[in-house]
Amino acid sequence: MKYILIAGILCLSSVLFGQDHLIKLWPNGVPDQWVNDEIKSSQTYASGSYYNVQEPTIEVYLSSGGSATGQSIIICPGGSYGRLAYDYEGVEIAKMLSSQGVAGIVLKYRLPNSKRQIESYKVPLMDAEQAVRIVRSKAEEWNIDPDKVGIMGLSAGGHLASTLGTHFSEGTRPDFMVLVYPVVSMKFGITHDGSRNNLLGKNPNRELIEFYSNEDQVTNDTPPTFIVHSSNDSVVTVKNSLLLYDALLKNKVPVEMHIYPEGGHGFGLAIGKGTLSTWPGLLIGWLGAINR
């Protein structure tokens, strides 16, 4: 009965909760933009996904004052670093969170491209860090706690989220991480090849592979983490989550992980998918526990 109720709430949230704010990440101009207009392609949106993101933003879904927990989560949609599954792995998640008292904030981040002025693999992390700065700067206005700002990522978005959780700079450390069927490693045989190729290129050097294999970058300052994956994920092997879980344990970082026997890849909120649909409720429970 508990999980039927949660599933009902998740369905209703798509109707009841609307966007509160849409904010540019870089209002004074996007840093390290395209080299010249000849290679600049405009942003496109099709079938719930964004391509060629030129103007990164955050889309904010706040909770009502009475139900707000003070927590907020910046959500990084997946898409192999080649597109953003913005609606399915972004907006739908944000609406679910806001219905449960947690501000959901969808990050539309720039995707890597070798024609950028700087090393393209740096661009997504730049945007994720900027999103944390903006959310914390809006804490009073949005009725959220600046010390309860989390990062969440699904699939390749999980790689970006775990990169922020292990490579943050001053003022951008997330207070917790939520990773759903995440890419974590860039190592051959473990990573998702498309995500690695789009982020680092087809022939990355050993130093880049090591640097962006986030299971090797965990320290005791990595934030508490919640992980969800399925054993039969044939796109992003569950080894990614298992390696990260082991690294978090070794560094005494609090972690909760749920591995489902079935589910494959890209299940999102998993509404109507049996036991798999319990994961959002488990996440809400975990968020309540760390919020005490």
Side-chain angles (χ1 to χ4, degrees):
M1 179 62 69
K2 173 183 176 182
Y3 295 116
I4 293 174
L5 178 61
I6 290 174
I9 291 172
L10 298 183
C11 292
L12 284 172
S13 68
S14 65
V15 177
L16 297 177
F17 291 85
Q19 173 203 108
D20 291 284
H21 305 278
L22 182 64
I23 297 175
K24 291 183 179 181
L25 279 187
W26 307 98
N28 297 320
V30 180
D32 302 297
Q33 192 55 280
W34 297 101
V35 176
N36 57 58
D37 289 339
E38 293 179 4
I39 61 174
K40 183 175 179 179
S41 57
S42 61
Q43 176 178 288
T44 58
Y45 173 84
S47 302
S49 293
Y50 277 106
Y51 302 80
N52 303 320
V53 176
Q54 301 294 308
E55 186 68 66
T57 60
I58 52 173
E59 185 171 338
V60 184
Y61 294 81
L62 300 176
S63 296
S64 61
S67 63
T69 66
Q71 292 172 311
S72 60
I73 300 182
I74 298 165
I75 305 158
C76 306
S80 303
Y81 280 120
R83 67 180 179 93
L84 299 182
Y86 192 82
D87 291 353
Y88 188 64
E89 294 182 346
V91 173
E92 290 185 14
I93 304 291
K95 289 178 178 179
M96 180 276 290
L97 291 171
S98 67
S99 76
Q100 298 298 303
V102 180
I105 301 164
V106 188
L107 173 60
K108 185 170 68 180
Y109 55 93
R110 289 172 292 163
L111 299 166
N113 187 294
S114 61
K115 294 183 175 67
R116 293 190 188 278
Q117 293 183 33
I118 63 167
E119 297 94 334
S120 66
Y121 53 81
K122 294 182 178 181
V123 171
L125 182 57
M126 288 173 60
D127 289 348
E129 288 191 302
Q130 179 69 354
V132 173
R133 295 186 191 102
I134 290 176
V135 171
R136 287 192 169 131
S137 74
K138 298 285 188 179
E140 184 175 358
E141 178 183 342
W142 294 349
N143 190 33
I144 60 175
D145 190 328
D147 296 322
K148 296 178 180 178
V149 178
I151 189 77
M152 178 178 186
L154 300 89
S155 195
H159 184 265
L160 176 55
S162 61
T163 301
L164 179 62
T166 54
H167 297 73
F168 51 85
S169 58
E170 184 177 357
T172 67
R173 177 188 181 272
D175 296 297
F176 54 90
M177 287 196 297
V178 179
L179 307 175
V180 184
Y181 42 86
V183 179
V184 173
S185 184
M186 287 287 111
K187 294 179 182 177
F188 295 92
I190 302 171
T191 190
H192 174 248
D193 290 346
S195 298
R196 185 197 63 230
N197 292 345
N198 286 331
L199 181 66
L200 302 181
K202 293 185 177 180
N203 296 294
N205 61 46
R206 186 176 64 182
E207 289 76 16
L208 273 182
I209 292 172
E210 180 69 20
F211 187 75
Y212 285 100
S213 291
N214 296 326
E215 74 276 16
D216 292 335
Q217 305 302 325
V218 173
T219 70
N220 58 13
D221 201 30
T222 300
T225 302
F226 182 93
I227 305 172
V228 178
H229 217 129
S230 67
S231 296
N232 71 338
D233 190 333
S234 61
V235 178
V236 177
T237 173
V238 71
K239 291 179 183 178
N240 284 268
S241 290
L242 296 174
L243 288 169
L244 182 63
Y245 179 78
D246 186 55
L248 292 166
L249 288 181
K250 287 179 179 177
N251 284 274
K252 303 187 186 315
V253 176
V255 56
E256 179 172 321
M257 181 168 67
H258 297 274
I259 304 296
Y260 291 85
E262 304 286 336
H265 188 73
F267 48 77
L269 290 173
I271 296 172
K273 295 184 178 181
T275 305
L276 191 63
S277 67
T278 64
W279 84 258
L282 295 171
L283 170 60
I284 296 303
W286 180 79
L287 291 171
I290 66 171
N291 202 32
R292 293 171 185 162

